[in-house]
Amino acid sequence: MIAIDGSDGGGQILRSSLTLSLLTGEAFRITQIRGQREQPGLKRQHLTCVQAALEIGKGAADGAVLGSRELVFHPGKVAAGDYHIRMSTAGSTTLVLQTLLLPLLQAEAESTVVIEGGTHNPMAPPVDYVQDVFLPVLRRMGADVALTLERYGFAPAGGGRIRARIRPSALTPIHLIARGRCLEERARVLAAHLDEGVIKRQRRALAKGLDWAEKALQTEVITESDGPGNVLMIGGVWEQGSEWVSTFGKRGRTSESVVREAVKGWRRYVQSGAPVGRRLGDQLLLPASLAPGSRFRMESSSNHFETNRRVIESFLPVKMVTREEESGVVDVKVTT
Amino acid sequence: MDKIGIIGILGTSLDRPTAVERWHQWRPSVAICQQDDLIVSTFLLLYPPTHQTLADCVAHDITLVSPETQVETIPLPLENPWDFAEVYGALFDWARGTRFHQEETEWLLHITTGTHVQQICLFLLNEAHYLPGKLLQSSPPRGGKDDVQGSYALIDLDLSKYDQLAGRFQRESLASQDFLKSGIATKNAAFNHLIERIETVVLRSTAPILLTGPTGAGKSQLAQRIYQLRQQRCALEGAFVEVNCATLRGDTAMSTLFGHVKGAFTGAQRDRPGLLREAHGGLLFLDEIGELGLDEQAMLLRALEEKVFLPMGGDRPVKSHFQLIAGTNHDLAARVREKAFREDLFARINLWHFHLPSLSERREDIEPNVSYELERFAQAENRQVRLNKEARDRFLQFSQSPEATWKANFRDLNAAITRMATLASRGRITIAEVDEEIARLRDAWQEAPSQNDHERLIHETLGPEAASQLDPFDRVQLGYVLSVCQQSRSLSEAGRTLFAVSRQNRSRPNDADRLRKYLARHGLDWEKSRHQGSL
């Protein structure tokens, strides 16, 4: 049984472990779950994630209760099927999808996964990001995946819904070394049940901060959502790769400050010249590990990246060779 | 793990509004289902039918943020949600008609929403076990504006579960017990347990108490202490009224207890309130209740049951609300069989019956009581008196020996200490005073001759040390043997008397030899057995 120390991370260590366990068929024991968080142990959305992993993997677990600091997970055989998962407290739907996606690619038949909850959460990749940034890379590796957003869900109300169709596919190595030519740049203001004036202010600040033409700025007023929500996204498409940088508006925060943060993140990505952004780097590491020989250059390293790497190396006979360039860009190679 | 169920009342203001703005607000009924460390399986949401829309909105939002939760909205029509009787009645009826399946669900009563009256009623129904579970209190977010779920706390009404509080209650209770024992550190386990029980009962109940036990066992003092304890802890305002029923005879008995009106009988020149009325709002201690006449018993019963009675010669009933402690050294049940005591009155005062043991049944408590009596003497006489170690040992040895019967219990002990302390010169009780007192006590307890004289013979013949080592079984035998020896002129004569039956079956009686061996077993011989004075 593989032993995982969860003390220096959050839910990501748990989710990566679940994915890897389902992929490899190896049982694991994770201790000190979310050890250094204010309220350590399994929270509701982690528990839902464990239960979802148990459902698709026909496995068994010990310690799958609220507040648990230790979990033993025994996977069975991953089965294709139609799955419906409901996240409480507007928990992120994309994080659960990420956990289940790779294992279901290895199943024997097509699966449909419907997940309800939050579709745009501050601490998780928004659905648009998964659709426009992550999945295109995964498709290039050979994955047959489609993802649709059926209803928006913002914290704290939730009520969003995404639907993924996943067909059995084998992954081939990917190479993302240089970006290539820029094909498109755009910015979006997503607003659900938001004051008209706030939207205007955000557009104005965006136009000023990015110095873009008006038509590159989109406003999407969402009426089909239970609760209010506000996300600001800046992104672009290159020949090799794409990116969405997003920040969330919330009460008590000025539009200007929301825009400033987004623009700053955007500039950082653009200036790095790397095809893979920080967030994509974290997410790409797992599929890349399943296709040794993959290589990518990412904007910069992060704590997430390091913990993910440690967990992967516990389950798979692969090595991540990283080299940090002078600019801070990290070159990652997966070898056996 | 048990499932969690919540019982809550729709907050007609806190759970508002229904517009989309609501997601920026802390709404207790929704927020309690948004907690990261609490999964609610069932939510029974009671709501006023006038607020159907709000109830539906809250139920919808709960299922949205907590798909694990089954919300059941239950209309609870109330004319006035601030009317205590109506709210309590409605909640009570609902609780009685609902099955809570406690075996599979742990219930939490959400007392954050609803009117204060509704919250109080939830609390009361919970405490009376009509509504199961623990109380749940939720609070709004502090500081940070982005978390709307706030926090929550469980309140378990079993206060003994809170270590700190339990410690305080324990100290309080010990202090009360100590008070009931007049601060005497008694060691007798049975007595201490009795006091523990009494402490619990007198602070929780105002029902009559029956104290039985031999004369001088401390009934009167305990009654007075109970009164003082209730005065301090239960806000008892009236007076402590004590009367020995043995002193009440004839007409005066009625009049003393129940009072009379002017002219009720010859010599009744003015109204007299009577003891029952004096004890109004206080505590009446009727000692020797077995001595009360049958007429008075009937009147007392009515006064206990209906809180009213008729003064002598009066035609209007008088009210008195008093607590009663009855004392007796009789077997009241036997008096009931003899028809000397009313059965219904006995049943009425026998609800809490405590039997105080005699002093001879708790000899280990003599020592602390000696110190207490000395202290009491010092306070009363304003004169400190000490027992030196030797004198104390001698007195305790005597007082703990079976020879000391303590017939009048604490009265004897109190008298003994008072006498010794009074006679002691320069504030010091010496062996001389102790020996003198021992002789005096022996004299006083003389009346039960055979038993006591045998005891004395053993004591004097064997010496106190060896005497105290004897089993009661051997005591009776040796006592009788020694008394026969005293009355006989020779070992053979004593032997003949003692073995009068068995010697007839022997061809060669050897009574003298058998007696000699018996005495030798106790380290005695013929001379020693007759050493002490005669009967």
Side-chain angles (χ1 to χ4, degrees):
Chain A
M1 186 176 305
I2 291 165
I4 301 291
D5 176 4
S7 64
D8 61 345
Q12 189 54 51
I13 295 186
L14 174 69
R15 283 189 296 269
S16 295
S17 302
L18 289 170
T19 303
L20 285 156
S21 176
L22 290 170
L23 284 168
T24 58
E26 290 275 355
F28 72 95
R29 174 195 298 271
I30 178 170
T31 50
Q32 303 272 324
I33 300 173
R34 303 180 60 253
Q36 290 175 14
R37 297 295 201 263
E38 206 174 304
Q39 279 185 308
L42 286 181
K43 300 211 305 187
R44 278 172 93 169
Q45 55 260 49
H46 305 129
L47 193 57
T48 313
C49 210
V50 172
Q51 283 158 351
L54 283 174
E55 199 187 341
I56 72 151
K58 313 293 169 229
D62 200 8
V65 289
L66 272 189
S68 177
R69 310 275 287 267
E70 185 172 333
L71 176 83
V72 176
F73 185 86
H74 291 273
K77 187 171 161 35
V78 174
D82 292 337
Y83 297 104
H84 194 150
I85 298 150
R86 291 181 182 87
M87 302 297 294
S88 57
T89 60
S92 164
T93 52
T94 57
L95 290 178
V96 182
L97 177 64
Q98 237 175 33
T99 311
L100 307 181
L101 179 56
L102 295 177
L104 285 175
L105 282 175
Q106 291 190 341
E108 283 162 356
E110 177 178 314
S111 299
T112 314
V113 182
V114 174
I115 311 173
E116 290 179 277
T119 56
H120 293 75
N121 296 57
M123 304 296 282
V127 172
D128 316 77
Y129 178 90
V130 179
Q131 285 175 320
D132 300 342
V133 181
F134 177 63
L135 287 186
V137 176
L138 208 61
R139 280 192 205 104
R140 279 176 59 181
M141 294 177 75
D144 188 350
V145 191
L147 175 65
T148 41
L149 168 65
E150 297 190 337
R151 188 178 164 89
Y152 282 89
F154 301 97
R161 189 169 61 241
I162 61 171
R163 180 186 298 270
R165 186 200 28 75
I166 303 161
R167 290 195 179 128
S169 339
L171 297 182
T172 54
I174 182 110
H175 287 258
L176 290 170
I177 311 300
R179 253 181 222 171
R181 199 159 46 86
C182 180
L183 306 175
E184 187 192 352
E185 280 181 322
R186 62 191 174 122
R188 298 161 71 196
V189 177
L190 301 190
H193 308 291
L194 197 70
D195 190 63
E196 195 82 21
V198 179
I199 301 174
K200 275 194 188 138
R201 250 204 326 277
Q202 289 186 348
R203 279 185 65 98
R204 211 177 305 132
L206 259 181
K208 202 174 144 205
L210 288 170
D211 198 17
W212 287 355
E214 269 288 313
K215 72 170 178 27
L217 304 183
Q218 289 177 345
T219 302
E220 289 156 57
V221 176
I222 299 149
T223 48
E224 287 284 288
S225 127
D226 284 278
N230 177 215
V231 195
L232 220 139
M233 302 174 72
I234 308 174
V237 182
W238 282 262
E239 284 174 326
Q240 301 277 320
S242 50
E243 178 69 334
W244 273 125
V245 171
S246 52
T247 51
F248 284 74
K250 61 179 184 184
R251 283 212 151 179
R253 193 172 175 194
T254 64
S255 299
E256 287 72 20
S257 124
V258 179
V259 168
R260 213 177 300 126
E261 188 192 322
V263 170
K264 201 171 148 197
W266 171 250
R267 291 210 191 296
R268 210 170 34 226
Y269 172 73
V270 171
Q271 280 160 17
S272 75
V276 172
R278 244 148 65 116
R279 184 169 256 162
L280 182 60
D282 293 345
Q283 297 180 3
L284 205 49
L285 202 53
L286 243 166
S289 309
L290 297 177
S294 293
R295 183 179 162 207
F296 58 87
R297 285 174 68 239
M298 64 174 182
E299 185 187 338
S300 63
S301 189
S302 67
N303 285 342
H304 249 175
F305 183 88
E306 284 307 317
T307 31
N308 234 347
R309 169 188 181 156
R310 186 166 57 74
V311 176
I312 290 168
E313 285 175 348
S314 313
F315 277 91
L316 293 173
V318 293
K319 275 201 86 65
M320 256 64 77
V321 183
T322 55
R323 187 177 57 84
E324 192 169 334
E325 297 167 14
E326 230 168 85
S327 60
V329 169
V330 180
D331 190 332
V332 185
K333 261 188 277 190
V334 181
T335 63
T336 45
Chain B
M1 202 170 78
D2 270 1
K3 290 176 172 172
I4 303 279
I6 290 185
I7 297 166
I9 295 172
L10 181 72
T12 48
S13 56
L14 279 182
D15 284 335
R16 276 157 69 96
T18 50
V20 74
E21 266 302 296
R22 68 189 187 271
W23 290 107
H24 295 298
Q25 277 164 33
W26 173 70
R27 293 175 294 155
S29 297
V30 177
I32 199 62
C33 297
Q34 288 176 288
Q35 302 298 317
D36 262 332
D37 55 354
L38 183 72
I39 298 178
V40 181
S41 300
T42 314
F43 198 132
L44 304 182
L45 184 66
L46 300 156
Y47 72 100
T50 46
H51 286 70
Q52 184 71 51
T53 317
L54 180 60
D56 291 343
C57 173
V58 166
H60 169 263
D61 288 352
I62 290 175
T63 16
L64 203 60
V65 296
S66 181
E68 301 95 329
T69 310
Q70 284 273 349
V71 187
E72 201 180 314
T73 50
I74 301 156
L76 187 76
L78 290 170
E79 284 281 310
N80 178 4
W82 295 95
D83 181 277
F84 181 80
E86 192 198 355
V87 171
Y88 190 91
L91 285 171
F92 179 84
D93 289 343
W94 173 73
R96 290 303 296 269
T98 305
R99 289 212 48 200
F100 291 105
H101 300 286
Q102 285 184 71
E103 61 288 348
E104 53 195 45
T105 304
E106 186 190 343
W107 290 97
L108 305 176
L109 300 179
H110 196 205
I111 54 162
T112 308
T113 46
T115 63
H116 288 157
V117 170
Q118 288 170 327
Q119 293 165 12
I120 290 167
C121 290
L122 283 180
F123 164 83
L124 289 174
L125 287 164
N126 179 231
E127 210 194 25
H129 300 291
Y130 288 115
L131 282 177
K134 293 176 188 154
L135 298 179
L136 171 68
Q137 168 72 51
S138 54
S139 352
R142 276 184 231 172
K145 279 182 183 169
D146 48 337
D147 66 325
V148 288
Q149 77 269 25
S151 57
Y152 72 95
L154 295 184
I155 305 165
D156 191 337
L157 287 181
D158 182 355
L159 295 178
S160 62
K161 289 194 181 153
Y162 298 81
D163 285 350
Q164 235 182 335
L165 287 179
R168 277 175 59 176
F169 292 146
Q170 175 88 20
R171 284 196 294 279
E172 279 280 306
S173 167
L174 285 178
S176 309
Q177 289 172 32
D178 192 49
F179 181 81
L180 287 176
K181 295 191 289 192
S182 304
I184 304 169
T186 54
K187 297 174 193 158
N188 184 275
F191 181 74
N192 286 342
H193 180 71
L194 177 77
I195 291 293
E196 217 177 292
R197 266 293 123 79
I198 294 178
E199 189 254 352
T200 311
V201 170
V202 302
L203 291 178
R204 286 192 193 164
S205 162
T206 56
I209 291 172
L210 177 62
L211 297 178
T212 61
T215 251
K219 296 187 289 287
S220 171
Q221 172 146 358
L222 183 60
Q224 192 152 2
R225 287 269 156 178
I226 289 172
Y227 164 74
Q228 286 167 356
L229 189 65
R230 280 180 173 167
Q231 223 181 4
Q232 294 166 17
R233 297 275 302 276
C234 311
L236 190 64
E237 282 177 345
F240 178 71
V241 177
E242 176 178 8
V243 65
N244 187 329
C245 300
T247 64
L248 304 173
R249 292 275 176 236
D251 271 356
T252 54
M254 267 299 189
S255 147
T256 309
L257 287 172
F258 306 102
H260 61 241
V261 296
K262 189 174 161 186
F265 51 88
T266 324
Q269 296 189 343
R270 59 171 94 148
D271 286 357
R272 182 183 186 188
L275 297 178
L276 261 66
R277 253 201 289 175
E278 276 180 39
H280 177 65
L283 193 148
L284 178 66
F285 175 52
L286 293 179
D287 203 0
E288 306 290 356
I289 196 166
E291 302 295 316
L292 206 59
L294 284 169
D295 291 345
E296 287 81 7
Q297 290 177 26
M299 190 85 111
L300 177 64
L301 181 65
R302 189 177 170 209
L304 279 175
E305 287 183 338
E306 294 163 32
K307 316 282 177 215
V308 294
F309 55 89
L310 268 182
M312 276 183 83
D315 46 13
R316 230 178 298 148
V318 169
K319 274 192 186 174
S320 174
H321 205 299
F322 59 92
Q323 298 173 6
L324 178 74
I325 296 180
T328 184
N329 56 3
H330 286 299
D331 179 358
L332 275 190
R335 306 270 295 171
V336 169
R337 283 193 297 276
E338 293 159 14
K339 308 268 181 227
F341 200 84
R342 289 182 68 109
E343 193 170 5
D344 44 10
L345 179 61
F346 177 59
R348 182 83 201 172
I349 61 176
N350 196 33
L351 174 63
W352 295 111
H353 173 195
F354 299 106
H355 180 78
L356 296 186
S358 64
L359 188 52
S360 59
E361 287 172 276
R362 38 183 288 230
R363 291 183 191 273
E364 62 268 58
D365 288 343
I366 293 175
E367 186 175 3
N369 271 289
V370 165
S371 310
Y372 171 76
E373 293 292 349
L374 281 172
E375 184 62 29
R376 194 152 84 158
F377 179 85
Q379 298 226 327
E381 301 296 319
N382 209 8
R383 190 154 69 87
Q384 277 290 342
V385 178
R386 280 177 226 290
L387 258 173
N388 69 31
K389 184 173 184 317
E390 209 185 355
R392 178 182 284 266
D393 288 350
R394 172 78 63 97
F395 184 75
L396 287 177
Q397 191 176 45
F398 166 76
S399 52
Q400 287 166 354
S401 71
E403 184 191 1
T405 57
W406 298 110
K407 265 165 77 179
N409 296 294
F410 287 96
R411 222 163 279 164
D412 281 346
L413 184 65
N414 169 269
I417 299 291
T418 307
R419 285 191 293 260
M420 289 191 292
T422 309
L423 295 174
S425 47
R426 275 175 270 126
R428 203 164 270 278
I429 299 172
T430 62
I431 286 265
E433 278 95 30
V434 169
D435 282 343
E436 196 184 325
E437 181 57 34
I438 290 174
R440 215 180 285 122
L441 286 170
R442 273 187 189 134
D443 258 7
W445 295 330
Q446 201 52 251
E447 291 150 52
S450 57
Q451 177 76 15
N452 263 338
D453 280 336
H454 290 175
E455 282 293 342
R456 188 167 55 95
L457 273 176
I458 293 170
H459 218 259
E460 288 175 355
T461 313
L462 291 180
E465 268 280 70
S468 64
Q469 297 301 313
L470 276 186
D471 277 334
F473 178 85
D474 291 319
R475 229 170 246 291
V476 178
Q477 202 172 31
L478 182 61
Y480 180 70
V481 169
L482 290 176
S483 73
V484 170
C485 291
Q486 293 268 324
Q487 290 161 13
S488 308
R489 279 161 299 178
S490 69
L491 184 68
S492 305
E493 191 189 327
R496 274 197 296 280
T497 315
L498 288 165
F499 302 107
V501 179
S502 58
R503 72 190 303 274
Q504 289 173 10
N505 298 329
R506 295 174 185 241
S507 51
R508 287 174 52 220
N510 55 347
D511 322 315
D513 194 44
R514 286 168 80 186
L515 177 57
R516 190 181 298 114
K517 281 177 181 156
Y518 175 81
L519 289 173
R521 278 219 298 280
H522 290 284
L524 299 173
D525 56 26
W526 173 244
E527 284 307 312
K528 282 183 188 157
S529 78
R530 294 168 50 82
H531 184 71
Q532 295 298 325
S534 59
L535 279 169

